[in-house]
Amino acid sequence: MLLHLSTWSEVEVYLKQSQGIILPIGSTEQHGPTGLIGTDAICAEAIARGVGDAVNAMVAPTINVGMALHHTGFPGTISLRPSTMILVIKDYISCLVKAGFTKFLFINGHGGNIATLKAAFAETYAHLADLNIPNADLVQCQIGNWFMCSSVYKLAKELYGHEEGSHATPSEVALTQYIYPEAIKQAALSAEVGSGHKIYGAADFRKRYPDGRMGSNPALATPEHGKQFYDLAVKELSNGYLEFLNTD
Amino acid sequence: MLLHLSTWSEVEVYLKQSQGIILPIGSTEQHGPTGLIGTDAICAEAIARGVGDAVNAMVAPTINVGMALHHTGFPGTISLRPSTMILVIKDYISCLVKAGFTKFLFINGHGGNIATLKAAFAETYAHLADLNIPNADLVQCQIGNWFMCSSVYKLAKELYGHEEGSHATPSEVALTQYIYPEAIKQAALSAEVGSGHKIYGAADFRKRYPDGRMGSNPALATPEHGKQFYDLAVKELSNGYLEFLNTD
Amino acid sequence: MLLHLSTWSEVEVYLKQSQGIILPIGSTEQHGPTGLIGTDAICAEAIARGVGDAVNAMVAPTINVGMALHHTGFPGTISLRPSTMILVIKDYISCLVKAGFTKFLFINGHGGNIATLKAAFAETYAHLADLNIPNADLVQCQIGNWFMCSSVYKLAKELYGHEEGSHATPSEVALTQYIYPEAIKQAALSAEVGSGHKIYGAADFRKRYPDGRMGSNPALATPEHGKQFYDLAVKELSNGYLEFLNTD
Amino acid sequence: MLLHLSTWSEVEVYLKQSQGIILPIGSTEQHGPTGLIGTDAICAEAIARGVGDAVNAMVAPTINVGMALHHTGFPGTISLRPSTMILVIKDYISCLVKAGFTKFLFINGHGGNIATLKAAFAETYAHLADLNIPNADLVQCQIGNWFMCSSVYKLAKELYGHEEGSHATPSEVALTQYIYPEAIKQAALSAEVGSGHKIYGAADFRKRYPDGRMGSNPALATPEHGKQFYDLAVKELSNGYLEFLNTD
Amino acid sequence: MLLHLSTWSEVEVYLKQSQGIILPIGSTEQHGPTGLIGTDAICAEAIARGVGDAVNAMVAPTINVGMALHHTGFPGTISLRPSTMILVIKDYISCLVKAGFTKFLFINGHGGNIATLKAAFAETYAHLADLNIPNADLVQCQIGNWFMCSSVYKLAKELYGHEEGSHATPSEVALTQYIYPEAIKQAALSAEVGSGHKIYGAADFRKRYPDGRMGSNPALATPEHGKQFYDLAVKELSNGYLEFLNTD
Amino acid sequence: MLLHLSTWSEVEVYLKQSQGIILPIGSTEQHGPTGLIGTDAICAEAIARGVGDAVNAMVAPTINVGMALHHTGFPGTISLRPSTMILVIKDYISCLVKAGFTKFLFINGHGGNIATLKAAFAETYAHLADLNIPNADLVQCQIGNWFMCSSVYKLAKELYGHEEGSHATPSEVALTQYIYPEAIKQAALSAEVGSGHKIYGAADFRKRYPDGRMGSNPALATPEHGKQFYDLAVKELSNGYLEFLNTD
């Protein structure tokens, strides 16, 4: 059930049977010479909708821009500062809690969002407690990182080994190829690729990872792989969502 | 050209020929018993992409959630507070300016966003001036409200007269029907509809507009109307964008 | 009744018969070679006091500095950033609501304040709702722009035609001449005047409007005109205030 | 020279001979049963203008609302939160520094403003240093509290002894009587008056100081006293301003 | 009783008999060629613990970094901006109030903290009032500046006369020598020392006070003096704390 | 080398040979019936000083209060909100970067700090880049969690198996016993202990973990164990610091 394709009356009915909602969150950031700038949002959205279908859950509109400050040395990247993103998440959750939602699963496509999301959850719980909202103490937020699903991780290792890398990975590129076959990109990839450096500021990042890839070989990606990743992630996160709902 | 389906290298090439970008911005808010919660984002996104195609401009990912605090009395509405939205817009523009963009057209689907967008632009110009960025003084932001295009407005009056109303209007509902024919909703609409009240807080709004409509009769909408609105808005905003680009 | 010339006991008595208050808000910004930097605050204050006298309403101290970032390229301009102004307005209203006021009419002398004021109202309604204040849901804020009164607008067109322009206008200059005849300024005005450009950042503004005027010829102003504008604005806004008070 | 009655060109000329400016800052807060809510702003403004005349200095529009949270238990009080006021002061000074001002004398009418003003100055110096503005390192802000002038203090002790108290004092009431003889208030004052309690929150303040006075007997005030205080304060602060200007 | 060496159960027991808590607050800032960067925190902590022992009060962990922006021109200084420090103090007090504490004595080692602390207290009282916490109206915060104790001040004058100065004073250096005899520093001190200049920004401060001292001669300090200051401050602030506790 | 026991001249000398600094960061939060509220700060401080001695690095004053909102249901806990902590970290680092430091190792004693620290680093890198500071692009921040050192983790598993748990663990309690043998606490510990629940808000946390422990049996701790943990952590983090310094 997609929130943006529902009416408020349908939401009202939904809330009588479930207080859970899935929020896809991605990023708008460079993904190397062949990866789409929207990769993280595209993956999160597709998987979130797959999960929503599988478990009959409400899916909120995708948060397309996340915390990608370290990628801002490459054109096309858009990032919220962490302090902004905390406010955004707080505003989202507060609105939905007042309407009756209490279980929030953020299906996330970008590792760089995780820290700020966790900080935002803590900030939000405390904010809601201050407001004396009846169901504030029931509010629970979780992050479901599709790329960290054990089944996804296992397949990526099988298919790509160390060439999976950690950014602009063949697995995420494959998934976008499956979702947008019309947007498969071709570009020469140097054999040499930055790898193993820690992440600091944007200028430093671009110096160490000059084409944007982090140890990955996205040329290995295929749309068929993408479908496999999709199916695995949807299945694993669907189970996760149901377990989340069924735990008090 | 869709930013989320581009690579950073493609953006780099694009920036050599144009510094313009289109940002669709909508809202996630109740639209009466039959209007989709995502109406404003759906309309803005579709028209922005149409304009992007027509004028060969880069289109950023859609800002799905805007300033809709007055609608938060209805379940499913998500809103940023104005102070949050100002930070979001500032973060978006700042990233893109550092990459080289200078002309920002926000194609907007929600009247409630206009004031905060204008405030955000002012805040952002001053912020950029403080940063000593070379092209800060060239940065220009405009809002293109599709529903205020004169051709759109004229057609809506012709088709619906005073039943167009001002929220959950048949024109915007028609446009969503054209874009998502699979999500056309049916629900009984009372003949009586709230109308003419000013907008204050969320509780007050719900009291005055109990089903969410503001003076509108969305039952008049058809997908065919929606196509007409789409074509008119794309044409008028395409011209607007080109004029914007060609003015120093 | 002027708040700053009242005692708290007098306010307490006033609140038993009315919960309305008028807040003059202006700006401190350049107004061309002959316009006073305080023009917008001067006009708003004088008219607000006129309205207060006419309808026996409480008038708050004038907010002398508003949102004029685009004028900051000219010396003497002082501006709040929009994010600051939102906090200021929120603080003002919150204090007054806790004391019992619920109807707020901001009599405004500066077009550049409107967007931020609207954003601030939305932010404030939501803030008050979070506080569980008894009368939070009754709070209503409106803006009364004296220069947009239909009677004022009509007279300006009659007297000045297109030479009214849109900043440092003869109508507002006339009004300040009526209020401060001792501060009527003389300066050569070039026949050529910037006109029709959109407003972006401060440096851009100064480039397009080199002497600060926007399409106006303030040399046409006279104190007698000023009195006419004053009378019209007071009358029209007095009616507006009473209607506001009498609407639930 | 009053900024609000000047043109931007006059400010430009002024800046060639002086970089100093006087900013009156008051408060809008209860001042006991007979004191005006605007007392602190009225006094600061009148004295600032007197000083401006005496030393030929630019005087900015009055900041009418300051930090008076502890008085908000009495109707009619309006206060900024300290965090808001810091932003306001930062915005004011930043605008004026960019125009060329470097010496800021805040003529202050309210003890409760002092701490927040000092905090704001520190915040602003650091902010300006970050901006790489040429004259940032020359910026100097001082507070001139008229009620703490030694000559004023001495006269108050002579005239009123311990009945001067510390809020709603006869000296400040006298000054407002001199400035606004038409607004001299009469009300019964209890012989008993709260005194000697520390200041905490608003509810606590109202409990300890039930009529708003702090140890004072404003019935002793006369307009003639007011003139004496005015003359003393203008003289002493004029000397202070000149000394400030002449110290590098 | 040291909070950091207590368990939560011990705090629970403590709260049944007392709602008071002592919070040492210092600064991390240059103290001249021979003064320790931690001087203000070291002194505040030692004295606070002495007071805690004397009056059986809970002592919170030391706030080591305060408002020292004007010292940031010297390496090793760390400062919060005032706006940050307000939030820090608000967060500290809010947590402790929710647990049941209502009387807060900040034992302070740095003059530069005072203004921001006062601003923070006002901000916090208002914040707590908004939260509808039962004991919000009982919350009281005070500052105890050890260096302003009358007995301390008297001794410093006796021992050092005008060579006490106002920063990197022999009294505070003596106290750190008593507490950390292993960290007594030797360095040549110029006979000439900056004195009598007002405090503005960091660059200005370093220019006027080139070695960091403000009119002081810390070479006069001895550990024995330090013990005397310690004893006097503990005694005077212990009495102050008890009086604070015993006043409603 | 302890920053708080150094003079600014010593820091100046230090900076000529190293731009690295160690910042201990802990928390002030409940640690079960027998764990000290200061456990995380105590451990971080002791280990940081050990590392500083071992590698001759500057050690900053301890950040005693971190992000512990989920523990605020227990008296004695003090927490910053994540948004506050981001500002604090930004202020700390900004001051130190301006003085010349570029390598920041936060030795951390609290898992709950990690997400907010990471968010703060990202925020700070972007902030510094905006300031045009020469060495902004060289700034690097890392977190060294002593409890996640592989040698520490291994020993904890050997000594305590699953009774190590994840909060109020015997390993951290042992370390505090080694550091503060005079503050070893005795209290009955129920055999049953909350375990395996995810962390949400403070009220929820206290319900699931009624005595504050998370799956741990701190009764197993001994001061001798504490010494072992200390030695292992100091060794491992010293190596980590040197590697950090030696990597460009």
Side-chain angles (χ1 to χ4, degrees):
Chain A
M1 218 180 148
L2 300 176
L3 179 61
H4 72 292
L5 296 187
S6 306
T7 66
W8 72 262
S9 319
E10 290 170 341
V11 177
E12 196 171 54
V13 169
Y14 174 88
L15 278 163
K16 287 181 185 148
Q17 65 191 28
S18 174
Q19 291 75 48
I21 188 165
I22 293 169
L23 298 102
I25 180 165
S27 183
T28 294
E29 66 183 43
Q30 70 82 15
H31 272 77
T34 56
L36 307 181
I37 284 175
T39 296
D40 297 344
I42 291 165
C43 296
E45 181 172 288
I47 291 166
R49 292 182 180 184
V51 173
D53 282 350
V55 299
N56 207 22
M58 184 69 75
V59 180
T62 303
I63 302 173
N64 290 307
V65 168
M67 211 310 288
L69 288 173
H70 48 300
H71 292 295
T72 52
F74 293 88
T77 301
I78 309 177
S79 177
L80 301 179
R81 287 174 299 129
S83 56
T84 302
M85 186 166 146
I86 288 173
L87 294 173
V88 167
I89 299 299
K90 190 171 76 164
D91 284 356
Y92 270 60
I93 298 176
S94 297
C95 288
L96 292 166
V97 168
K98 288 172 188 170
F101 290 97
T102 56
K103 296 262 188 177
F104 298 85
L105 177 62
F106 286 77
I107 290 191
N108 176 38
H110 174 48
N113 287 339
I114 297 172
T116 301
L117 274 176
K118 286 183 179 174
F121 295 165
E123 185 103 7
T124 303
Y125 296 135
H127 172 68
L128 293 171
D130 277 351
L131 298 189
N132 300 317
I133 294 177
N135 53 356
D137 289 351
L138 303 178
V139 175
Q140 301 180 341
C141 301
Q142 291 194 9
I143 306 175
N145 300 298
W146 76 266
F147 52 94
M148 289 170 71
C149 287
S150 57
S151 55
V152 166
Y153 190 81
K154 185 157 163 285
L155 178 63
K157 281 298 158 204
E158 283 171 19
L159 292 173
Y160 314 124
H162 76 276
E163 291 183 285
E164 167 71 355
S166 55
H167 182 67
T169 61
S171 60
E172 62 186 348
V173 169
L175 186 43
T176 62
Q177 290 180 342
Y178 167 58
I179 301 167
Y180 284 111
E182 71 276 24
I184 298 178
K185 308 283 174 168
Q186 306 298 341
L189 293 174
S190 63
E192 208 176 351
V193 56
S195 177
H197 309 290
K198 288 189 186 292
I199 296 177
Y200 305 113
D204 179 88
F205 185 96
R206 180 143 190 185
K207 196 174 62 183
R208 295 178 197 279
Y209 298 104
D211 73 358
R213 290 178 298 150
M214 299 177 75
S216 67
N217 181 6
L220 302 176
T222 70
E224 294 71 27
H225 293 168
K227 181 176 184 343
Q228 291 178 270
F229 287 116
Y230 173 83
D231 289 340
L232 291 170
V234 167
K235 187 171 173 194
E236 191 165 329
L237 289 171
S238 294
N239 289 338
Y241 179 75
L242 292 174
E243 192 184 333
F244 179 30
L245 272 203
N246 293 330
T247 310
D248 80 343
Chain B
M1 218 181 149
L2 300 176
L3 179 61
H4 72 292
L5 297 187
S6 305
T7 66
W8 72 262
S9 321
E10 290 170 340
V11 176
E12 196 171 54
V13 170
Y14 174 89
L15 278 164
K16 287 181 184 148
Q17 65 192 26
S18 174
Q19 291 74 48
I21 189 165
I22 293 169
L23 299 102
I25 180 166
S27 183
T28 294
E29 65 184 42
Q30 69 84 14
H31 272 78
T34 57
L36 306 181
I37 284 175
T39 295
D40 296 344
I42 291 164
C43 296
E45 180 172 288
I47 291 167
R49 292 183 180 182
V51 173
D53 283 349
V55 299
N56 208 20
M58 185 69 74
V59 180
T62 303
I63 303 173
N64 290 308
V65 167
M67 211 312 286
L69 287 174
H70 46 301
H71 292 295
T72 51
F74 293 88
T77 301
I78 309 178
S79 177
L80 301 178
R81 287 174 299 131
S83 55
T84 302
M85 186 165 145
I86 287 173
L87 294 173
V88 168
I89 298 299
K90 190 170 75 163
D91 284 357
Y92 270 61
I93 297 176
S94 297
C95 288
L96 292 166
V97 167
K98 289 171 189 171
F101 290 97
T102 56
K103 296 261 189 179
F104 297 84
L105 177 61
F106 286 77
I107 290 191
N108 177 38
H110 174 47
N113 287 338
I114 297 171
T116 301
L117 273 176
K118 286 184 179 174
F121 294 166
E123 185 103 7
T124 302
Y125 296 135
H127 172 69
L128 293 171
D130 277 350
L131 299 189
N132 301 318
I133 294 177
N135 53 356
D137 290 350
L138 302 177
V139 175
Q140 300 180 341
C141 302
Q142 290 194 9
I143 307 174
N145 300 297
W146 75 267
F147 52 94
M148 290 170 70
C149 288
S150 59
S151 55
V152 166
Y153 190 81
K154 185 157 162 286
L155 179 62
K157 282 299 158 202
E158 282 171 19
L159 292 174
Y160 314 125
H162 76 276
E163 291 183 285
E164 166 72 355
S166 55
H167 182 67
T169 61
S171 60
E172 62 186 347
V173 169
L175 186 42
T176 60
Q177 290 181 342
Y178 167 59
I179 301 166
Y180 286 110
E182 71 275 25
I184 299 178
K185 308 283 173 166
Q186 306 298 339
L189 294 173
S190 62
E192 208 176 349
V193 57
S195 177
H197 309 290
K198 288 188 186 291
I199 296 177
Y200 305 112
D204 180 88
F205 185 96
R206 181 142 191 187
K207 196 173 64 185
R208 294 179 197 279
Y209 299 104
D211 73 358
R213 291 177 298 151
M214 298 177 76
S216 67
N217 181 6
L220 303 176
T222 71
E224 294 70 28
H225 293 169
K227 178 172 185 347
Q228 289 178 273
F229 287 117
Y230 173 83
D231 290 339
L232 290 171
V234 167
K235 187 173 174 193
E236 192 166 329
L237 288 170
S238 295
N239 290 338
Y241 179 75
L242 292 174
E243 193 186 330
F244 179 30
L245 272 203
N246 294 330
T247 309
D248 79 344
Chain C
M1 218 182 150
L2 300 177
L3 179 61
H4 72 292
L5 297 186
S6 305
T7 65
W8 71 263
S9 320
E10 290 170 340
V11 177
E12 195 171 55
V13 170
Y14 174 89
L15 278 164
K16 287 180 184 148
Q17 65 191 28
S18 175
Q19 291 75 48
I21 188 164
I22 293 169
L23 298 103
I25 179 164
S27 183
T28 294
E29 66 183 44
Q30 69 84 14
H31 272 78
T34 56
L36 307 181
I37 284 174
T39 296
D40 297 343
I42 292 165
C43 295
E45 180 171 287
I47 291 168
R49 292 181 181 185
V51 173
D53 283 350
V55 299
N56 207 22
M58 184 70 74
V59 181
T62 303
I63 302 173
N64 289 307
V65 168
M67 210 311 287
L69 288 174
H70 47 300
H71 292 295
T72 52
F74 294 87
T77 301
I78 309 177
S79 177
L80 301 179
R81 287 173 300 129
S83 56
T84 302
M85 185 166 147
I86 287 174
L87 294 173
V88 168
I89 299 299
K90 190 171 76 164
D91 284 357
Y92 270 59
I93 298 176
S94 297
C95 288
L96 292 165
V97 168
K98 289 171 188 170
F101 291 96
T102 56
K103 297 262 188 177
F104 297 84
L105 178 62
F106 286 77
I107 289 189
N108 177 38
H110 174 47
N113 287 339
I114 298 172
T116 301
L117 274 176
K118 286 184 179 175
F121 294 166
E123 185 102 7
T124 303
Y125 296 135
H127 172 69
L128 293 171
D130 277 351
L131 298 189
N132 301 317
I133 294 177
N135 53 356
D137 290 350
L138 302 178
V139 175
Q140 300 181 340
C141 302
Q142 290 194 9
I143 306 174
N145 300 297
W146 75 266
F147 52 93
M148 289 170 70
C149 288
S150 58
S151 56
V152 166
Y153 189 81
K154 186 158 162 285
L155 179 63
K157 281 298 157 203
E158 283 171 19
L159 292 173
Y160 314 124
H162 76 276
E163 292 183 284
E164 166 72 355
S166 55
H167 182 68
T169 62
S171 58
E172 62 186 347
V173 169
L175 186 42
T176 62
Q177 289 179 343
Y178 167 60
I179 302 166
Y180 285 110
E182 70 275 25
I184 298 178
K185 310 283 174 166
Q186 306 297 341
L189 292 174
S190 63
E192 207 176 351
V193 57
S195 177
H197 309 290
K198 288 188 186 291
I199 296 176
Y200 305 114
D204 180 87
F205 185 96
R206 182 145 190 185
K207 196 173 62 184
R208 295 177 197 280
Y209 299 103
D211 73 358
R213 291 178 297 151
M214 300 176 73
S216 67
N217 181 6
L220 303 177
T222 71
E224 294 71 26
H225 293 169
K227 179 173 184 348
Q228 290 179 272
F229 287 117
Y230 173 83
D231 290 340
L232 291 171
V234 167
K235 186 171 173 195
E236 191 165 329
L237 289 171
S238 294
N239 290 337
Y241 179 75
L242 292 174
E243 193 185 331
F244 179 29
L245 272 202
N246 294 329
T247 309
D248 79 344
Chain D
M1 218 181 148
L2 300 177
L3 179 61
H4 72 292
L5 297 187
S6 306
T7 66
W8 71 262
S9 320
E10 290 170 340
V11 177
E12 197 171 54
V13 170
Y14 173 89
L15 278 164
K16 288 182 183 146
Q17 64 192 26
S18 175
Q19 292 74 49
I21 189 165
I22 293 169
L23 298 102
I25 180 166
S27 183
T28 294
E29 66 183 43
Q30 70 83 15
H31 272 78
T34 57
L36 306 181
I37 284 175
T39 296
D40 297 343
I42 291 164
C43 295
E45 181 172 288
I47 291 167
R49 292 183 181 184
V51 173
D53 283 350
V55 299
N56 208 20
M58 185 69 74
V59 180
T62 304
I63 302 173
N64 291 307
V65 168
M67 210 312 287
L69 287 174
H70 46 302
H71 292 296
T72 51
F74 293 88
T77 300
I78 309 178
S79 177
L80 301 179
R81 288 174 298 131
S83 55
T84 301
M85 187 166 145
I86 287 173
L87 294 173
V88 167
I89 299 300
K90 189 171 75 163
D91 284 356
Y92 270 60
I93 298 176
S94 297
C95 288
L96 292 165
V97 167
K98 288 171 189 170
F101 290 97
T102 57
K103 296 261 190 180
F104 297 85
L105 177 62
F106 286 77
I107 291 191
N108 177 38
H110 174 48
N113 287 338
I114 298 172
T116 301
L117 273 175
K118 287 184 179 173
F121 294 166
E123 184 102 8
T124 303
Y125 296 135
H127 172 69
L128 293 171
D130 277 350
L131 297 189
N132 302 318
I133 294 177
N135 54 355
D137 289 351
L138 303 178
V139 175
Q140 300 181 340
C141 301
Q142 289 194 10
I143 306 174
N145 301 297
W146 76 266
F147 52 93
M148 290 171 69
C149 288
S150 58
S151 55
V152 166
Y153 190 81
K154 186 158 162 286
L155 179 62
K157 282 297 158 203
E158 283 171 20
L159 292 174
Y160 314 125
H162 76 277
E163 292 183 285
E164 166 72 354
S166 55
H167 181 67
T169 62
S171 59
E172 62 186 347
V173 169
L175 186 43
T176 61
Q177 289 179 344
Y178 167 58
I179 301 166
Y180 285 110
E182 70 275 25
I184 299 178
K185 308 284 174 167
Q186 305 297 340
L189 293 174
S190 63
E192 208 177 350
V193 56
S195 177
H197 308 291
K198 288 188 185 292
I199 296 177
Y200 306 111
D204 180 88
F205 185 96
R206 181 142 192 187
K207 196 173 64 184
R208 294 177 197 278
Y209 299 104
D211 72 358
R213 291 178 297 150
M214 299 176 75
S216 67
N217 181 6
L220 303 176
T222 71
E224 295 70 28
H225 293 169
K227 181 175 185 343
Q228 289 178 272
F229 287 117
Y230 173 84
D231 290 341
L232 290 170
V234 166
K235 188 173 174 193
E236 191 165 329
L237 289 171
S238 293
N239 290 338
Y241 178 76
L242 292 174
E243 193 185 331
F244 178 30
L245 270 203
N246 293 331
T247 309
D248 78 343
Chain E
M1 218 181 149
L2 300 176
L3 179 61
H4 71 293
L5 297 187
S6 305
T7 66
W8 71 262
S9 320
E10 290 170 340
V11 177
E12 196 171 53
V13 170
Y14 174 88
L15 278 163
K16 287 182 184 148
Q17 66 192 26
S18 175
Q19 291 75 49
I21 188 164
I22 293 169
L23 298 102
I25 179 164
S27 184
T28 294
E29 66 183 44
Q30 70 83 15
H31 272 78
T34 57
L36 307 181
I37 285 175
T39 296
D40 297 343
I42 292 165
C43 296
E45 181 172 289
I47 291 167
R49 292 182 181 184
V51 173
D53 283 350
V55 299
N56 206 22
M58 184 70 72
V59 180
T62 303
I63 301 173
N64 291 307
V65 168
M67 211 311 288
L69 287 173
H70 47 300
H71 292 295
T72 52
F74 293 89
T77 301
I78 309 177
S79 177
L80 302 179
R81 289 173 298 130
S83 56
T84 302
M85 186 164 145
I86 288 173
L87 294 173
V88 167
I89 299 299
K90 190 172 75 164
D91 284 357
Y92 270 60
I93 298 176
S94 297
C95 288
L96 292 165
V97 167
K98 288 172 189 170
F101 290 97
T102 57
K103 296 263 189 178
F104 297 85
L105 177 62
F106 286 77
I107 290 190
N108 177 38
H110 174 47
N113 287 338
I114 298 172
T116 301
L117 273 176
K118 286 184 178 174
F121 294 166
E123 185 102 7
T124 303
Y125 296 136
H127 171 69
L128 292 171
D130 277 351
L131 298 190
N132 300 317
I133 294 177
N135 53 355
D137 289 352
L138 303 178
V139 175
Q140 300 180 341
C141 302
Q142 289 194 10
I143 306 174
N145 301 298
W146 76 265
F147 52 94
M148 291 170 70
C149 287
S150 58
S151 55
V152 166
Y153 190 81
K154 186 159 162 283
L155 179 62
K157 281 298 157 204
E158 283 171 19
L159 292 174
Y160 314 125
H162 76 277
E163 292 183 283
E164 166 72 353
S166 55
H167 183 68
T169 61
S171 60
E172 61 186 348
V173 169
L175 186 43
T176 62
Q177 289 179 343
Y178 167 59
I179 301 167
Y180 285 109
E182 70 275 25
I184 298 178
K185 308 283 173 167
Q186 306 297 342
L189 293 174
S190 63
E192 207 176 352
V193 57
S195 176
H197 309 290
K198 289 189 185 291
I199 296 176
Y200 305 113
D204 180 87
F205 185 96
R206 180 141 192 188
K207 196 174 63 184
R208 294 179 196 279
Y209 299 104
D211 73 358
R213 290 177 297 151
M214 299 176 74
S216 67
N217 181 6
L220 303 176
T222 70
E224 294 71 26
H225 293 169
K227 180 176 184 345
Q228 291 177 271
F229 287 118
Y230 173 82
D231 289 340
L232 290 171
V234 167
K235 187 172 174 195
E236 192 165 328
L237 289 171
S238 294
N239 290 337
Y241 178 76
L242 291 174
E243 192 186 332
F244 179 29
L245 272 202
N246 293 330
T247 310
D248 80 343
Chain F
M1 219 182 149
L2 299 177
L3 180 60
H4 72 293
L5 297 186
S6 305
T7 66
W8 71 261
S9 321
E10 290 170 339
V11 177
E12 196 171 53
V13 170
Y14 174 89
L15 277 163
K16 288 181 184 147
Q17 65 191 27
S18 174
Q19 292 75 48
I21 188 165
I22 293 169
L23 298 102
I25 179 166
S27 183
T28 295
E29 65 183 44
Q30 70 84 14
H31 272 79
T34 56
L36 306 181
I37 284 175
T39 296
D40 297 343
I42 291 164
C43 295
E45 182 172 287
I47 291 167
R49 292 182 180 183
V51 173
D53 283 350
V55 299
N56 207 21
M58 185 69 74
V59 180
T62 303
I63 302 173
N64 291 306
V65 168
M67 210 313 287
L69 287 174
H70 47 301
H71 292 296
T72 51
F74 294 87
T77 301
I78 308 178
S79 176
L80 301 178
R81 287 174 299 129
S83 55
T84 302
M85 185 165 147
I86 288 173
L87 294 172
V88 167
I89 298 300
K90 191 171 75 164
D91 285 357
Y92 270 59
I93 299 176
S94 297
C95 288
L96 291 166
V97 167
K98 288 172 189 170
F101 290 97
T102 56
K103 297 260 189 180
F104 298 85
L105 177 62
F106 286 76
I107 290 191
N108 177 38
H110 174 46
N113 287 338
I114 297 172
T116 301
L117 274 176
K118 286 184 178 173
F121 294 167
E123 185 102 7
T124 303
Y125 296 135
H127 172 68
L128 294 171
D130 277 350
L131 298 189
N132 301 318
I133 295 176
N135 53 357
D137 290 350
L138 302 178
V139 176
Q140 300 180 341
C141 303
Q142 289 193 9
I143 306 174
N145 300 297
W146 75 267
F147 52 93
M148 289 169 70
C149 287
S150 58
S151 55
V152 167
Y153 190 81
K154 185 157 162 286
L155 179 62
K157 281 298 158 203
E158 282 170 21
L159 292 174
Y160 315 125
H162 76 276
E163 291 183 285
E164 166 72 355
S166 54
H167 182 68
T169 61
S171 59
E172 62 186 347
V173 169
L175 186 42
T176 62
Q177 289 180 343
Y178 167 58
I179 302 166
Y180 285 110
E182 70 275 24
I184 298 178
K185 308 284 174 165
Q186 306 298 340
L189 292 174
S190 62
E192 208 176 351
V193 56
S195 177
H197 309 291
K198 287 188 186 293
I199 296 177
Y200 305 112
D204 180 88
F205 185 96
R206 181 143 191 187
K207 196 174 62 184
R208 295 178 197 279
Y209 298 104
D211 73 357
R213 290 178 297 151
M214 299 175 75
S216 68
N217 181 6
L220 303 177
T222 71
E224 294 71 28
H225 293 169
K227 181 177 185 344
Q228 290 179 271
F229 286 117
Y230 173 82
D231 289 341
L232 291 171
V234 167
K235 187 171 175 196
E236 191 165 330
L237 289 171
S238 294
N239 290 338
Y241 179 76
L242 292 174
E243 192 186 332
F244 179 29
L245 271 202
N246 293 331
T247 309
D248 80 342

